Amino acid sequence: MQAAAIAVVSVLGLALGAIPAQAQSCGRDGSGFATWLAAFRQQAVAQGIPAEVVAASLDDVSYDRAIISRDRGQGVFQQSFLQFAGRMVADYRLKTGASRIRQQAGLFSAIERQYGVPAEPIVAFWGLETDFGANMGKDPTLKALATLAYDCRRPELFRGELMDALRIVARGDLRPSEMRGAWAGELGQMQFMPSFYYKYGVDADGDGRVDLLRSTPDALASAANFMSSLGWRRGEPWLVEVRVPASLPWHEADLEIRHSTSQWANWGVTPRAGALPPGNASLLLPMGRNGPAFLAYDNFGVFLRWNQSFVYATTAAYFAARLAGAPAVARGNGEVAMLGAKEIARLQRLLAQRGYDPGPIDGKLGAATRAAVKKAQMELGLPADSFPTAELIARLGGG
């Protein structure tokens, strides 16, 4: 999924020192780009990147206003889990994913032995990110990264990514002309940002370079290496769909709260299929108490660290569970009314006015807003499932 990696790397930007400041008004004319790029080139050489690599990579790079327009034009993601998962975990992806696992059984077995990550989570990300390598993007990566590094919205992040893109060229993995991908700089079958490509890329096919665009073994092994670095626990589950009773203590449903599966069973939580794997888990309600329900184990955190979007991460984990044999998700206990971006922003303002901290007033249902919703629900005597509703808005005085 294009720009998915940005959610992961947004907190990992690297400050690269003193480069002349670009127009801090975030203007789109790029009038100072050439001066900025010249200074960046000097710093790249000072950091040990060969001058010939810098020249080959940046000589023809220009400022691209279209990239800035796309960056500014990103909308608020408003699909529910059932909507997004229904679209993304389509039958053809399930069939293709299962077929790839069978075809590459030996490779996946070797990858799991080395990194501890089974085939299904890797293939889930492979399918969601690029349709198994079919849609990697065609935008010139170096131009995109240089444009975003010059822009004043997230310069530190993209300066670091541009520097690592040059290191990829210097290492011999890709030629500058081969570096094409998504508009925000993601590369390859797993849509890695250059920093992750450089740090976690694996030469699994033994040809002497890391090629995450054309080499499927490299791409799959690199994904496993990355997931291992994010904390994947060998041999442990990640997500199991469950049924929940109406009498559940809803305030226990929180990714920050963990209980043993025996405790969940004591509260009436039962698996939709098979038995609950032993261990500690959180109750995950992506659409509140009336929607689908899951027990999320430690490995679910890896999906969230790959992509911080709650709906995307849950969909990826669900996709992986389907590939591992789980049935299609149930719709839950009734219809769930989803609030739109304007309603979420209105709720965030009401929460802030009442002394809760919903995070930015941005119309997005992130972790901070969910936490604030839960606190408000508990104080108002509503079922504390962390899911925003029109009733909560009304109870907070929003009409």
Side-chain angles (χ1 to χ4, degrees):
M1 159 161 283
Q2 291 189 0
I6 291 296
V8 181
V9 301
S10 61
V11 296
L12 300 179
L14 302 176
L16 295 178
I19 293 179
Q22 57 271 39
Q24 292 304 304
S25 63
C26 283
R28 300 185 186 183
D29 62 356
S31 57
F33 180 76
T35 301
W36 174 87
L37 186 61
F40 182 90
R41 290 165 63 117
Q42 292 177 1
Q43 191 167 62
V45 172
Q47 290 201 13
I49 298 173
E52 60 270 21
V53 168
V54 175
S57 302
L58 300 180
D59 274 359
D60 296 326
V61 164
S62 58
Y63 180 79
D64 190 342
R65 293 182 180 85
I67 294 294
I68 301 301
S69 295
R70 294 173 77 173
D71 184 54
R72 299 290 192 277
Q74 296 182 81
V76 176
F77 184 86
Q78 286 298 331
Q79 287 184 310
S80 72
F81 164 70
L82 284 176
Q83 289 171 328
F84 188 67
R87 179 168 63 88
M88 300 302 290
V89 188
D91 285 344
Y92 84 92
R93 281 204 176 103
L94 288 166
K95 292 175 181 176
T96 302
S99 175
R100 296 298 174 89
I101 291 173
R102 291 192 300 269
Q103 293 168 3
Q104 303 279 356
L107 174 61
F108 281 117
S109 179
I111 288 173
E112 185 169 6
R113 283 196 303 272
Q114 183 167 359
Y115 301 104
V117 185
E120 293 84 2
I122 300 170
V123 173
F125 280 120
W126 193 21
L128 293 180
E129 296 288 350
T130 65
D131 258 340
F132 312 101
N135 300 302
M136 294 184 285
K138 298 180 180 180
D139 288 295
T141 300
L142 294 165
K143 175 189 281 191
L145 291 173
T147 297
L148 292 167
Y150 168 77
D151 184 49
C152 66
R153 195 162 86 88
R154 292 175 289 173
E156 291 81 9
L157 165 65
F158 285 103
R159 289 172 192 167
E161 295 299 335
L162 181 57
M163 197 69 76
D164 279 332
L166 299 182
R167 292 187 177 105
I168 291 169
V169 176
R171 192 167 65 182
D173 295 335
L174 297 173
R175 296 188 297 274
S177 60
E178 295 173 317
M179 301 185 83
R180 287 182 172 269
W183 66 265
E186 305 95 328
L187 281 165
Q189 298 186 39
M190 293 295 180
Q191 293 291 272
F192 276 13
M193 291 299 286
S195 58
F196 294 153
Y197 192 126
Y198 186 73
K199 186 173 182 179
Y200 301 107
V202 175
D203 176 20
D205 61 14
D207 67 353
R209 64 175 186 157
V210 178
D211 185 349
L212 304 189
L213 283 74
R214 290 172 293 261
S215 172
T216 294
D218 287 7
L220 299 180
S222 298
N225 187 32
F226 182 43
M227 294 178 76
S228 176
S229 79
L230 294 176
W232 188 269
R233 298 164 69 103
R234 183 186 294 267
E236 296 189 10
W238 55 92
L239 195 72
V240 175
E241 190 182 0
V242 294
R243 296 184 179 93
V244 294
S247 59
L248 188 82
W250 296 110
H251 61 275
E252 300 291 345
D254 192 315
L255 283 178
E256 300 300 319
I257 297 175
R258 296 160 53 75
H259 293 291
S260 66
T261 51
S262 60
Q263 176 61 71
W264 289 117
N266 288 339
W267 280 325
V269 175
T270 59
R272 278 200 66 222
L276 287 178
N280 295 320
S282 301
L283 183 59
L284 172 62
L285 304 174
M287 297 172 63
R289 67 190 186 280
N290 292 321
F294 302 91
L295 284 186
Y297 293 76
D298 281 331
N299 280 334
F300 179 72
V302 173
F303 292 88
L304 275 172
R305 288 187 282 275
W306 179 298
N307 189 306
Q308 293 171 1
S309 164
F310 179 77
V311 171
Y312 181 94
T314 305
T315 297
Y318 164 66
F319 187 6
R322 291 293 309 278
L323 290 170
V329 66
R331 297 195 66 84
N333 298 321
E335 290 298 318
V336 178
M338 297 293 297
L339 300 184
K342 291 183 179 179
E343 293 168 302
I344 294 290
R346 183 184 182 195
L347 174 59
Q348 289 169 330
R349 284 191 290 270
L350 290 168
L351 289 166
Q353 289 167 9
R354 293 284 289 265
Y356 306 106
D357 180 12
I361 310 299
D362 56 6
K364 299 178 183 179
L365 183 56
T369 299
R370 285 179 177 271
V373 165
K374 180 178 179 178
K375 291 178 181 177
Q377 288 171 330
M378 293 178 69
E379 292 190 14
L380 293 169
L382 298 172
D385 61 359
S386 306
F387 192 72
T389 62
E391 180 183 9
L392 178 58
I393 291 177
R395 292 285 294 274
L396 288 171

